[in-house]
Amino acid sequence: LGEIRDANGQRLVAAIKQPGESLTVTAASPYSIVLGTNAGVSVNYGSEKIDLSSFKRGKVVRMTIPQ
């Protein structure tokens, strides 16, 4: 399960994505992101790939981008 909120706190996405699926959002940043896990997930902001290696594998990921 993943959730993305915009700078105003409005929920843009609350969904379960399957392997190979992607998602693009366009709204006011920064974005508040919650991921059920970082396993098998990649996050890009513009052309920048966000490093998820600092998050414990298999645990819920909470982050804000850009920081």
Side-chain angles (χ1 to χ4, degrees):
L1 176 65
E3 180 179 277
I4 303 172
R5 293 182 180 264
D6 68 9
N8 300 313
Q10 182 171 339
R11 186 167 53 190
L12 303 172
V13 176
I16 297 173
K17 299 310 252 175
Q18 299 301 315
E21 286 186 303
S22 64
L23 174 69
T24 301
V25 295
T26 305
S29 63
Y31 300 105
S32 173
I33 301 173
V34 178
L35 303 172
T37 180
N38 62 348
V41 175
S42 64
V43 176
N44 296 310
Y45 180 70
S47 61
E48 177 187 359
K49 183 171 183 168
I50 305 302
D51 182 10
L52 300 178
S53 65
S54 65
F55 296 98
K56 196 168 189 176
R57 190 161 184 86
K59 299 293 184 181
V60 173
V61 172
R62 298 176 193 280
M63 64 181 162
T64 301
I65 56 173
Q67 294 185 5

